[in-house]
Amino acid sequence: MKLSALTAYLESLAPLNYQEDYDNSGLIVGNPEQEVSQALISLDCTEAVVDEAIATGCQVIISHHPIVFKGIKKFNGKTYVERVVEKAIRKGIAIYAIHTNLDSIMTGVNARICETLGLKNSRILLPKHNLIKKLVTYVPLNHADTVRDALFAAGAGNIGNYSEVSFNAEGTGTFKGNDAATPYVGEIGKRHKEDEIRIETVYPANLESKILMALILAHPYEEVAYDLYNLTNQHQQVGSGMIGELEMPLNEESFLFHVKDKMRTHVIRHTKLLGKHVKKVAVCGGSGGFLLKHAIAAGADVFITADYKYHEFFDAEGKIVIADIGHFESEQFTQQLLYEIIRKKFPIFAVRLTEVNTNPVKYFI
């Protein structure tokens, strides 16, 4: 299939506008129109991973971490980033990254951590703002159901566990067409009154073009009146980190043994144990220190993440146990997650998990 079909599906699950401002998710190397028959999945895109893609006949590498975060001004092969990009281009291998946008969704990286640890009732720890918009339009009475159905089918009207959500109010619309108009009702040159319904519904900002196209195609009027509003509401199903609960509380030491086993980590750097039972656990794959105050506010007993600096451990202030399990270790199951996502949608498309351990951190035990 074309590379664009694969990337479009991934972005339908984890839209690019869900990524953080510093991130660079999306198609980094490659032509969307190129044909692909096999993908290699890796946490990082290194030279060894590109070599593996070449050896196994994969035309695209799907990595969690982008190989390029910042602009590159020269390609002299002096850095591993330059060498990876150069080799991929020469060999016609596409590189696609799905990073913080995959972190942010309810079924993404942090959900897989919660699942691995056996956490229940998981929810987003810090929901994102400014991802929801509202559409208001005015429709003649006998077309209201048709327009609503079209908007819902395009992805509008979803709030949490509810779908087909809208507000409707009847009123009277007026208009007068000029000589160039072809009005659905009324006469040219005469003011017309029409009984209409004002329909209000919300939608994800990334679906705006699809929503508006559905509205225009379903609406009977030659000129469709509508208003678009930016909402600052939190999107409860998109955001950073997650928090969940153990089915049965564990003492802190037993819980850390549980984490070490399930997350396959060599070592856990942690703050002082507080002598409490662990029931509620906050998690964030990768560098999640910015979520500490939110984990405390949510009542978490332990916060599992990575990349903590020495002085940042003091911020626990005896209110929570911080457990730094390592960046690679916290995100390693993302590879399997991506494998399952792609195979479910494209069961006859060849997907391969890398055999390269890209973790740059080694432990002298």
Side-chain angles (χ1 to χ4, degrees):
M1 62 180 167
K2 288 185 178 179
L3 178 59
S4 58
L6 176 59
T7 60
Y9 175 66
L10 293 175
E11 289 167 17
S12 72
L13 301 177
L16 293 180
N17 69 318
Y18 288 3
Q19 67 181 308
E20 301 298 330
D21 293 339
Y22 64 80
D23 203 4
N24 189 35
S25 294
L27 186 60
I28 295 173
V29 172
N31 184 337
E33 297 303 305
Q34 75 180 84
E35 295 286 334
V36 293
S37 59
Q38 188 170 192
L40 180 65
I41 297 174
S42 178
L43 193 67
D44 307 280
C45 188
T46 64
E47 291 178 81
V49 171
V50 175
D51 289 337
E52 183 182 19
I54 295 169
T56 56
C58 294
Q59 300 88 14
V60 55
I61 297 169
I62 300 172
S63 68
H64 183 47
H65 297 134
I67 181 61
V68 177
F69 268 106
K70 302 176 181 179
I72 300 177
K73 295 184 178 180
K74 294 182 176 66
F75 283 88
N76 298 321
K78 291 184 177 180
T79 69
Y80 82 95
V81 173
E82 294 174 19
R83 292 191 293 273
V84 165
V85 173
E86 286 177 357
K87 183 175 287 189
I89 291 173
R90 286 200 311 269
K91 298 297 183 178
I93 296 174
I95 299 176
Y96 184 85
I98 180 166
H99 189 210
T100 54
N101 50 328
L102 186 62
D103 291 336
S104 295
I105 62 174
M106 278 288 291
T107 54
V109 175
N110 295 306
R112 182 51 60 100
I113 296 173
C114 289
E115 179 185 329
T116 302
L117 293 176
L119 302 182
K120 310 296 182 183
N121 305 316
S122 300
R123 59 179 175 82
I124 297 292
L125 182 59
L126 178 60
K128 284 184 176 292
H129 295 78
N130 302 311
L131 293 177
I132 304 172
K133 300 186 74 172
K134 182 167 77 170
L135 166 70
V136 176
T137 190
Y138 307 86
V139 187
L141 296 178
N142 59 346
H143 278 77
D145 286 337
T146 300
V147 170
R148 271 192 298 265
D149 289 346
L151 294 174
F152 297 152
N158 295 306
I159 300 178
N161 295 323
Y162 295 86
S163 61
E164 301 189 5
V165 177
S166 69
F167 176 79
N168 304 266
E170 294 188 18
T172 302
T174 67
F175 49 85
K176 180 171 70 174
N178 61 27
D179 291 340
T182 55
Y184 167 71
V185 291
E187 297 181 34
I188 291 176
K190 291 184 179 181
R191 182 190 302 160
H192 176 78
K193 292 183 178 181
E194 182 70 19
D195 291 333
E196 296 179 334
I197 290 183
R198 173 189 169 108
I199 300 175
E200 300 184 22
T201 190
V202 295
Y203 62 93
N206 60 291
L207 294 182
E208 183 163 288
S209 60
K210 183 179 179 181
I211 298 291
L212 292 179
M213 181 60 69
L215 170 64
I216 291 168
L217 291 176
H219 204 291
Y221 287 174
E222 181 182 20
E223 299 288 348
V224 180
Y226 61 88
D227 302 318
L228 303 177
Y229 298 89
N230 291 313
L231 303 180
T232 59
N233 304 47
Q234 291 182 333
H235 195 317
Q236 296 295 332
Q237 294 182 309
V238 180
S240 301
M242 294 190 80
I243 186 166
E245 299 177 353
L246 291 170
E247 194 163 348
M248 294 292 293
L250 295 172
N251 65 53
E252 291 164 328
E253 189 171 290
S254 296
F255 178 70
L256 291 180
F257 274 117
H258 173 70
V259 172
K260 194 171 187 291
D261 175 52
K262 294 298 183 180
M263 298 303 295
R264 303 177 192 170
T265 181
H266 294 282
V267 64
I268 299 176
R269 300 164 64 230
H270 64 87
T271 53
K272 181 180 178 180
L273 301 184
L274 304 176
K276 301 177 181 178
H277 277 83
V278 177
K279 175 67 174 177
K280 191 175 289 188
V281 180
V283 306
C284 181
S287 305
F290 68 100
L291 290 172
L292 177 62
K293 63 180 181 180
H294 301 284
I296 293 172
D301 301 304
V302 177
F303 177 36
I304 299 171
T305 188
D307 298 344
Y308 251 83
K309 297 180 181 179
Y310 175 85
H311 292 285
E312 293 173 340
F313 281 98
F314 288 108
D315 295 335
E317 296 195 61
K319 299 175 182 177
I320 194 171
V321 174
I322 297 171
D324 183 332
I325 65 173
H327 197 118
F328 177 89
E329 288 78 7
S330 71
E331 296 182 329
Q332 61 185 300
F333 303 108
T334 303
Q335 298 173 124
Q336 183 65 32
L337 172 65
L338 285 169
Y339 179 87
E340 293 169 8
I341 286 172
I342 295 171
R343 285 301 302 270
K344 184 176 181 180
K345 176 65 176 179
F346 307 106
I348 62 171
F349 180 72
V351 189
R352 180 187 295 269
L353 288 170
T354 183
E355 296 182 2
V356 177
N357 184 335
T358 63
N359 190 358
V361 180
K362 307 301 177 186
Y363 300 93
F364 188 81
I365 301 175

